[in-house]
Amino acid sequence: MDQYFAKDYTGGAFELFGTAHLAFIAFVVFCLVVLLPRLRGKDERYLRRFRITYTVIMVVNELAWHIWKAWIGEWSVQTMLPLHMCSVFVILNSIMLLTRNYRIYEFSYFLGIGGAMQAVLTPDAGIYGLPHFRAWQTLIAHSMIMSAAIYMTVVEGYRPTWRSLGRVFLWANVYMLVITGVNLLIGSNYMYTLRKPDTASLIDVLGPWPLYLISLELVALVVCVILYIPFAIKDWRARATVAA
């Protein structure tokens, strides 16, 4: 059992789109497509228990990562403060689920789904392949971040607007500027604003620093527009029906 929590794991690196990874993705898709819609129509007391339970699991999973990093001697303010986008969304989604805050939902829908989906498909687990704790932790964390926004959309009936996209894009850039200041102050690299991550990632094909930051902005904008397309089509059909 200790080997599944070991710092120097010898069980093999994460196998991208290996059998275990594909099985996890299939399970997430099953939960979102089959199980999640069944929550629609449930009474508020039931849904509130669901949101609280979901939040607890998400937070405990995040705390377990911090505890593990401290246990193996790798916790530091330069790497483990909750400033990367996914760590931020563990906090924001917890507030969103408990309070049903719409403003947070806007950010969670575009940035939470867009970022976490990429992390589920190409997780940054490094040498830690399944069934190591770190591999499970990163898959669970990002799938729950993504699913929280989908829950609010499918079950609670929330939806973004074009103005939502504008607000998200504006404040995401403000946040990135603030994080760059933090990085310069404490010698960190949160949000990878000062250099590329040490491990292979999508950023590697987006050009050198600082050009990859501009490329990431364009990729993020395209992803956000794609995520909005279902609502744009729905609105277009509604206007066409009224006009007819």
Side-chain angles (χ1 to χ4, degrees), residues 54-70 75 79-94 133-134 136-145 190:
Y54 193 100
T55 299
V56 170
I57 294 172
M58 187 165 53
V59 171
V60 168
N61 184 65
E62 181 76 4
L63 291 175
W65 179 42
H66 285 264
I67 293 170
W68 178 72
K69 292 290 276 189
W75 198 101
T79 60
M80 291 301 294
L81 294 180
L83 298 178
H84 277 304
M85 194 62 74
C86 288
S87 293
V88 169
F89 274 110
V90 170
I91 298 172
L92 290 181
N93 281 352
S94 298
F133 161 78
R134 174 53 181 158
W136 282 118
Q137 189 277 327
T138 191
L139 286 172
I140 292 171
H142 292 100
S143 61
M144 294 193 77
I145 290 169
Y190 294 109

Side-chain angles (χ1 to χ4, degrees), residues 76-109:
S76 71
V77 295
Q78 284 74 33
T79 60
M80 291 301 294
L81 294 180
L83 298 178
H84 277 304
M85 194 62 74
C86 288
S87 293
V88 169
F89 274 110
V90 170
I91 298 172
L92 290 181
N93 281 352
S94 298
I95 298 172
M96 176 187 71
L97 290 170
L98 296 178
T99 66
R100 294 192 292 183
N101 185 290
Y102 177 76
R103 284 289 179 253
I104 295 178
Y105 164 77
E106 292 179 312
F107 288 86
S108 182
Y109 182 81

Side-chain angles (χ1 to χ4, degrees), residues 40 44 47-48 51 100 151-158:
R40 284 184 297 202
E44 174 54 25
L47 292 178
R48 179 167 177 77
R51 295 195 303 269
R100 294 192 292 183
Y151 162 84
M152 294 299 293
T153 305
V154 173
V155 180
E156 299 288 345
Y158 284 31

Side-chain angles (χ1 to χ4, degrees), residues 12-228:
F14 190 90
E15 184 181 356
L16 191 64
F17 300 125
T19 301
H21 186 203
L22 289 175
F24 183 86
I25 292 174
F27 173 74
V28 172
V29 172
F30 174 78
C31 290
L32 294 177
V33 174
V34 178
L35 299 183
L36 192 62
R38 294 186 178 184
L39 292 175
R40 284 184 297 202
K42 298 288 186 181
D43 63 77
E44 174 54 25
R45 182 178 299 180
Y46 182 95
L47 292 178
R48 179 167 177 77
R49 286 199 299 267
F50 174 83
R51 295 195 303 269
I52 291 174
T53 302
Y54 193 100
T55 299
V56 170
I57 294 172
M58 187 165 53
V59 171
V60 168
N61 184 65
E62 181 76 4
L63 291 175
W65 179 42
H66 285 264
I67 293 170
W68 178 72
K69 292 290 276 189
W71 179 62
I72 66 173
E74 291 188 352
W75 198 101
S76 71
V77 295
Q78 284 74 33
T79 60
M80 291 301 294
L81 294 180
L83 298 178
H84 277 304
M85 194 62 74
C86 288
S87 293
V88 169
F89 274 110
V90 170
I91 298 172
L92 290 181
N93 281 352
S94 298
I95 298 172
M96 176 187 71
L97 290 170
L98 296 178
T99 66
R100 294 192 292 183
N101 185 290
Y102 177 76
R103 284 289 179 253
I104 295 178
Y105 164 77
E106 292 179 312
F107 288 86
S108 182
Y109 182 81
F110 287 115
L111 300 182
I113 293 178
M117 182 182 298
Q118 183 270 332
V120 171
L121 294 175
T122 58
D124 181 19
I127 66 169
Y128 304 109
L130 292 167
H132 191 277
F133 161 78
R134 174 53 181 158
W136 282 118
Q137 189 277 327
T138 191
L139 286 172
I140 292 171
H142 292 100
S143 61
M144 294 193 77
I145 290 169
M146 174 182 66
S147 301
I150 295 175
Y151 162 84
M152 294 299 293
T153 305
V154 173
V155 180
E156 299 288 345
Y158 284 31
R159 58 153 294 174
T161 65
W162 282 117
R163 289 187 177 182
S164 300
L165 198 157
R167 277 191 291 268
V168 168
F169 205 72
L170 171 63
W171 286 106
N173 278 276
V174 171
Y175 180 74
M176 189 167 66
L177 289 174
V178 172
I179 292 304
T180 300
V182 172
N183 288 335
L184 292 171
L185 183 64
I186 68 174
S188 56
N189 190 33
Y190 294 109
M191 299 284 293
Y192 308 117
T193 64
L194 299 184
R195 63 183 182 278
K196 294 182 180 182
D198 297 328
T199 56
S201 69
L202 174 65
I203 295 177
D204 292 334
V205 301
L206 297 181
W209 185 92
L211 293 180
Y212 71 77
L213 296 175
I214 299 174
S215 299
L216 279 174
E217 293 257 349
L218 295 175
V219 170
L221 181 59
V222 169
V223 170
C224 287
V225 171
I226 291 174
L227 287 171
Y228 190 75

